[in-house]
Amino acid sequence: MRVSVVGAGLGGLALAQGLRGAGIEADVFERDPGIVARFQGYRLVLNPTGFQAVRDCLPTRWHPLLDEIVMEASAEQLVLDPQLNEIGRLGAGRTGIVVDRQVLRHLLLTGLTVHTDAALTGYDVLPDGTVRARFAHRDPATADLLVGADGVTSAVRGVLSPRTTPTDTGVRFVIGRTPLTDEFAALSKAYGSKIAGDGVSLLLGAMRFRTPPKQAAERLAPDVTLPDIGDYVRWAMILPSNGSLENLTAQDAVLSRMDGWHPQLRALIEQADPDNSTLLSIRVVKPAERWAPGPVTLLGDAIHATSPTGGNGANTALRDADLLRRRLIEADGGSRDLLDAVGDYERQMFEYGAEAVRSSLERLPAFAPGAKLS
């Protein structure tokens, strides 16, 4: 069996790693001109399902490295005012495994065949049941299955399910990273909580590595090369739905909304890495109509993009990867037909994917009143 995966995000790479480990050929096609061509995000919290999924997709020899580059975390999920006084609670405390997205992505990339500058322009299902993917700047690729793991603007979805389109919630947020120094130790109670300002919310999260990733890889898995980064604070300011950046840099746009805030909060933004701060929009994709059975399917944000306020986007994509991996291994082993295996994956994925989108939108108004939820 041969599988073509379109999109080198966490879900697509986890699937490719899992298939590779089972002896199934998997090629990854990425539209970006290079693996690190654009912003890839910072820390994320994996729930038990998401963490076990990525663990199961990776070779067992890398499990000690994976365990060394994550951290267990818990957060009270408080609501604080701009002077760091507690004024409420978001709900029950949250626990999970914290991992840096960039570091995890580099681990998942190790050993895979990834074709960059490969923007999909379409695909054809051939008479023998295989599928040929067409690209703008490279030769077509034929496989037994084409998996669209190419995000919110999925080119694969545009052909497979053209009526499934993203919904813009109208909410924008600025995200960035600041080195975690002793100066910001006093902010620890704010990590995992919401700081509520005048029409904006600031969210902070700490990333503390048990061992710096580069050194951990050199010691535990010399065949893996990980980024040389240290502990940091990830911050994100959610703007009102009518917010504007007013032609400011991302960093200055945040500071312009922090007049009178606690000096350590302002210092956190002032000392951020300006090359790793960016403005993003919150768009969702709701899985709706099922497409006809065939050798093409979707995974992750391509079919169920969630609001980041739900904390379940990466978890759901990794769950997809592990589930589809298991079904394809069954098909490759001859215990079930390929289309039946893909159909079973899609039935389950549509159900839990729709719930992930719904629950993420349910939490969005707590951070951004006035968001468009339908």
Side-chain angles (χ1 to χ4, degrees), residues 10 13-15 17-19 21 46-70 72 97 99 104 107-108 210 314-315 318-319 321-323 325-326:
L10 296 184
L13 294 175
L15 172 63
Q17 277 288 356
L19 295 178
L46 297 181
N47 60 30
T49 298
F51 184 64
Q52 190 61 49
V54 73
R55 192 178 184 86
D56 289 346
C57 287
L58 286 170
T60 56
R61 70 180 185 277
W62 292 346
H63 288 180
L65 174 58
L66 177 65
D67 292 339
E68 194 67 18
I69 59 175
V70 301
E72 294 184 10
I97 299 293
V99 63
L104 179 58
L107 177 59
L108 289 168
R210 292 171 179 166
N315 285 294
L318 292 169
R319 182 178 180 179
D322 188 42
L323 175 60
R325 172 188 73 89
R326 294 174 186 273

Side-chain angles (χ1 to χ4, degrees), residues 32-57:
D32 286 346
I35 291 299
V36 293
R38 62 184 171 89
F39 175 80
Q40 293 291 335
Y42 301 128
R43 75 190 284 279
L44 53 89
V45 180
L46 297 181
N47 60 30
T49 298
F51 184 64
Q52 190 61 49
V54 73
R55 192 178 184 86
D56 289 346
C57 287

Side-chain angles (χ1 to χ4, degrees), residues 56 63 65 76 98 146 164 173 191 240 284 342:
D56 289 346
H63 288 180
L65 174 58
E76 294 186 75
V98 181
L146 175 67
T164 304
F173 68 104
Y191 301 149
V284 299
V342 173

